[in-house]
Amino acid sequence: MSKADEMMFDLGYKKVDLDFLFSRFWEQWENRDLEKTISFNTEHKYLKFEDKNEYGITMQELQAINEKVKELRLDRRRK
């Protein structure tokens, strides 16, 4: 388990098992208690954050997202 995965897990997020087609370029994490979902698209290099209760994002979540972006290499520019 990577450092970012551990951080997400510690925050109450669980990795969603996507079907084979989507799992090639999507990684999705959700926290059912807080009704939050964080999705990473590795093909188009963006992320999507959904917060149904409008709690906002915590610093710990932001740190985990930043670590995951580095691990997935989403911070690299396209050529």
Side-chain angles (χ1 to χ4, degrees), residues 18-34:
L18 302 172
D19 64 28
F20 176 75
L21 178 66
F22 289 108
S23 65
R24 293 183 307 154
F25 54 89
W26 273 105
E27 186 169 318
Q28 186 169 327
W29 292 80
E30 70 178 24
N31 185 326
R32 291 186 182 205
D33 295 336
L34 299 176

Side-chain angles (χ1 to χ4, degrees), residues 13-50:
Y13 285 86
K14 296 204 185 315
K15 190 172 183 177
V16 177
D17 291 327
L18 302 172
D19 64 28
F20 176 75
L21 178 66
F22 289 108
S23 65
R24 293 183 307 154
F25 54 89
W26 273 105
E27 186 169 318
Q28 186 169 327
W29 292 80
E30 70 178 24
N31 185 326
R32 291 186 182 205
D33 295 336
L34 299 176
E35 295 188 37
K36 291 183 179 182
T37 305
I38 303 170
S39 304
F40 300 91
N41 184 308
T42 57
E43 184 175 343
H44 298 290
K45 298 190 176 194
Y46 70 89
L47 69 94
K48 181 179 179 183
F49 179 76
E50 296 177 42

Side-chain angles (χ1 to χ4, degrees), residues 2-14 26-31 34 36-42 45-51 55-76:
S2 70
K3 180 180 176 183
D5 290 352
E6 288 178 15
M7 294 170 77
M8 297 291 273
F9 184 74
D10 291 343
L11 292 170
Y13 285 86
K14 296 204 185 315
W26 273 105
E27 186 169 318
Q28 186 169 327
W29 292 80
E30 70 178 24
N31 185 326
L34 299 176
K36 291 183 179 182
T37 305
I38 303 170
S39 304
F40 300 91
N41 184 308
T42 57
K45 298 190 176 194
Y46 70 89
L47 69 94
K48 181 179 179 183
F49 179 76
E50 296 177 42
D51 181 7
Y55 290 135
I57 190 168
T58 66
M59 285 296 175
Q60 292 82 10
E61 289 171 330
L62 186 58
Q63 289 171 341
I65 289 169
N66 284 334
E67 188 65 32
K68 194 65 178 173
V69 165
K70 288 178 190 174
E71 287 178 6
L72 294 174
R73 301 177 61 105
L74 300 179
D75 57 343
R76 309 283 187 212

